[in-house]
Amino acid sequence: MSFLAKAQQPDASGRIQHITPESAGWFYAGFDAYLLKKGKTLRLSSGHKELCLVLVAGLASVKTRHAEFLSIGKRMSPFERMPPYSVYVPHDDEVEIVANSDLELAVCNAPGQGNLPARLIAPSDVGVEHRGKGRNQRLVHNILPDDKSADSLLVVEVYTNEGNTSSYPSHKHDDENSENETYLEETYYHCFDPEQGFAMQRVYTDDLSVNECMAPYNRDVVTVPRGYHPVATIAGYNNYYLNVMAGPVRLWKFTWEKDHAWVNSDNYPRG
């Protein structure tokens, strides 16, 4: 099966991506992306899932059954590189999103079974960190990490400058029987500056029974059911991606591919 979902023209609801456990061939993680014109309203039911609504770009007002978050948002492009506004929505809830400007909205979802309330995740709530060294540097916004309340979802966004790599050294989190890993399915929602750019992403396993390399373009999604999944940017184009991860245990534990783990060491960069 293909691990690359191409962005579609907006449907009647504005949706351009629709990744479900059924379409991805897994059990937990789901992802949708919408492009809404100013003044449009989107209504969603969370059902048996929890949601994390990420304002990738634009302004909105969000209402659930018991909460409302009016006139949220600040950045008009993800490449402003400020943390986004997001809203956590529990299972068995109804949500209404009104676009107060043209809006690029990500809807991350995974199984929900707790009794957490809807809440705003403001930019000040987002952990910001710089990872890597040399040509393996990136900027990370931890929107919904494993030390913040949720049932299943983990959500993070990453910026990688032109010519750099990220999600690297190659790592994996697909063995639920390992003491060193947790089983987490993962989606990558890619954006580029300028928009006509692309990146290279490889998904592969140690035995190469999975060994795929693909070129995601603007608003494409790469799904990672198992294996390693590094990203390499192309000269001239900065890359943004929004990651959704989910599995039976809400904890991000992974192992490095042994051949490339040295890139983390003081021996890199060389020269």
Side-chain angles (χ1 to χ4, degrees), residues 130-146:
H130 294 268
R131 295 181 189 164
K133 59 183 73 173
R135 291 296 183 183
N136 191 47
Q137 296 185 60
R138 60 275 198 204
L139 169 66
V140 178
H141 291 161
N142 291 300
I143 298 168
L144 197 57
D146 57 18

Side-chain angles (χ1 to χ4, degrees), residues 243-258:
N243 285 140
V244 180
M245 291 183 282
V249 177
R250 190 174 176 269
L251 183 66
W252 186 46
K253 292 179 65 177
F254 59 88
T255 58
W256 305 108
E257 187 179 10
K258 293 180 181 179

Side-chain angles (χ1 to χ4, degrees), residues 118-217:
R119 72 179 189 272
L120 178 69
I121 304 171
S124 59
D125 300 319
V126 175
V128 178
E129 60 178 311
H130 294 268
R131 295 181 189 164
K133 59 183 73 173
R135 291 296 183 183
N136 191 47
Q137 296 185 60
R138 60 275 198 204
L139 169 66
V140 178
H141 291 161
N142 291 300
I143 298 168
L144 197 57
D146 57 18
D147 63 350
K148 302 295 184 180
S149 298
D151 295 327
S152 303
L153 277 173
L154 298 165
V155 181
V156 62
E157 58 182 19
V158 178
Y159 295 88
T160 312
N161 289 336
E162 58 163 327
N164 283 7
T165 55
S166 59
S167 291
Y168 188 78
S170 302
H171 66 276
K172 69 183 185 76
H173 37 74
D174 59 10
D175 186 354
E176 58 185 319
N177 297 313
S178 168
E179 294 182 356
N180 302 312
E181 295 181 29
T182 45
Y183 172 83
L184 292 170
E185 303 153 354
E186 186 167 14
T187 61
Y188 281 68
Y189 178 64
H190 285 275
C191 296
F192 295 91
D193 179 29
E195 287 190 357
Q196 70 269 28
F198 66 95
M200 303 302 296
Q201 184 160 15
R202 186 182 178 202
V203 179
Y204 64 104
T205 55
D206 284 309
D207 63 4
L208 299 184
S209 60
V210 173
N211 187 18
E212 300 291 332
C213 190
M214 61 214 84
Y217 281 76

Side-chain angles (χ1 to χ4, degrees), residues 15 20-21 32 45 69-70 81 129-130 170 181 186 210 212 230 266:
R15 189 166 62 188
T20 67
D32 293 284
S45 297
F69 311 102
L70 303 179
R81 300 192 181 215
E129 60 178 311
H130 294 268
S170 302
E181 295 181 29
E186 186 167 14
V210 173
E212 300 291 332
D266 291 337

